[in-house]
Amino acid sequence: MKIKGIAFDIDGTLYHNRQMYILSTTSFVANPKLAYHFSKARKTIRTYEKIENFRKTQAGIIAQTMKKDPEQIYKLVEIRLYKKWVRAFRFLRPYRGVRKLVVDLKARGYKLGVLSDFPPQKKLTYLNLEGFWDAAFSSEEVEYLKPRPEPFLELAKRMELKPEEILYVGNSYKYDIIGASSVGMKTAYLSKKESVPPADIVFSSYEQLAEKLSVFLDD
Ligand SMILES: [Mg+2]
C-alpha cells in the first residue's frame, strides 16, 4: 500500500535535541528536583492504561514521589515547566531541509501530521512550520504517551487515513518507531549512528529522507 500521509514527531526530529536541552536548562536548573520527578513520572505514565485527566494524574504521581500536595505540584508544573518551556522554545531552529520537504509534500497533495508527547502548537510556530498540518496534537490529549498505540491510532483518525497509509518520522526507536509500527504505520528513523535497529527508512539528513521517501510515494 502506498503512503498517503507523512507524520512527524517534533522534539529531536524536526529540530536537534541539543537545542531543547540548552533551552530547557533555564527551567530545569531553576527547578531541578521538580524536573527530575517530572521525568520519572513520564516514564511511569508510558506504561499506564488510559488515565483520566492527564495533567492532574501526572501531577499526582509527582506529588506522591516528592511527598507534596498534588494541587500545589499541579500549579508548579503548569507554570514552571510547561509555560517556561514554551517561552524558551521561541529560539528553536528546524533541521536543515525540514521546511523544504514539508512544503514539497504539501504541494504534492500528501496529508501531513504531527504527533508529539508535548503540546506542539507554539513549537510549530517558532519553527516556522505553521499551517501545513491535517493533524497536530499531543499524545497527552489522548491521555496516553508513546509508544502506546492509542496516540498513533488517533493520529490516523485525525489524518483520515488508515495507519498503513501513513509513514511516521521519529528520532526515538523506543517511542516513535516501536509505537508507530505497532499499529501498522511505515516508519522513518532519524539516527546518525552507523548501526541501528530496523525501520522502513533510516536517515541522517532531510535531504536523505526526501530521496529515500520516493520509493514509498505514488507520484
Ligand atoms: Mg523525539
Side-chain angles (χ1 to χ4, degrees):
M1 192 177 285
K2 287 282 182 181
I3 292 303
K4 294 182 180 159
I6 295 94
F8 299 83
D9 162 55
I10 298 184
D11 305 305
T13 296
L14 296 179
Y15 66 90
H16 200 300
N17 254 344
R18 194 195 314 124
Q19 291 183 57
M20 183 174 69
Y21 294 136
I22 296 167
L23 295 173
S24 58
T25 307
T26 40
S27 47
F28 269 100
V29 167
N31 311 276
K33 216 172 159 192
L34 186 64
Y36 169 76
H37 287 274
F38 175 81
S39 304
K40 230 172 100 177
R42 302 282 286 192
K43 283 204 182 109
T44 308
I45 288 173
R46 283 183 207 281
T47 65
Y48 270 29
E49 294 297 319
K50 189 175 173 70
I51 55 177
E52 299 295 325
N53 203 334
F54 187 95
R55 294 271 181 100
K56 290 268 183 191
T57 308
Q58 177 174 265
I61 299 168
I62 300 167
Q64 210 173 19
T65 58
M66 290 182 82
K67 299 190 173 61
K68 291 265 165 71
D69 173 52
E71 204 45 49
Q72 182 201 357
I73 290 294
Y74 174 76
K75 281 184 196 144
L76 276 181
V77 169
E78 289 299 311
I79 294 163
R80 295 205 188 156
L81 298 186
Y82 283 100
K83 288 224 175 89
K84 271 203 180 171
W85 277 341
V86 166
R87 256 181 280 154
F89 286 137
R90 68 188 180 278
F91 300 109
L92 285 183
R93 290 294 164 267
Y95 269 125
R96 195 161 50 93
V98 167
R99 193 181 153 87
K100 187 167 177 278
L101 177 66
V102 167
V103 168
D104 178 53
L105 290 171
K106 186 82 183 167
R108 288 158 68 186
Y110 290 99
K111 286 196 172 176
L112 296 173
V114 157
L115 167 64
S116 169
D117 275 342
F118 289 102
Q121 263 67 26
K122 278 268 166 60
K123 281 185 202 164
L124 293 173
T125 308
Y126 297 147
L127 289 165
N128 193 21
L129 291 172
E130 213 177 18
F132 295 106
W133 313 101
D134 298 281
F137 65 104
S138 163
S139 47
E140 282 190 3
E141 270 179 54
V142 193
E143 317 215 85
Y144 291 101
L145 294 180
K146 300 180 216 170
R148 295 276 316 191
E150 291 82 357
F152 293 97
L153 291 173
E154 179 68 17
L155 175 65
K157 202 171 131 196
R158 292 195 190 194
M159 289 175 79
E160 296 179 342
L161 293 173
K162 295 182 190 129
E164 312 87 84
E165 296 172 322
I166 297 171
L167 181 129
Y168 189 77
V169 185
N171 72 312
S172 163
Y173 199 82
K174 228 163 81 186
Y175 301 148
D176 299 320
I177 307 306
I178 299 282
S181 61
S182 80
V183 303
M185 289 179 184
K186 295 267 187 301
T187 55
Y189 179 34
L190 170 59
S191 175
K192 310 252 183 211
K193 289 185 197 130
E194 290 272 312
S195 157
V196 293
D200 295 295
I201 293 175
V202 177
F203 71 103
S204 60
S205 74
Y206 274 86
E207 288 81 1
Q208 206 180 43
L209 175 62
E211 213 179 286
K212 290 190 175 184
L213 254 181
S214 58
V215 182
F216 294 90
L217 303 179
D218 236 347
D219 58 343

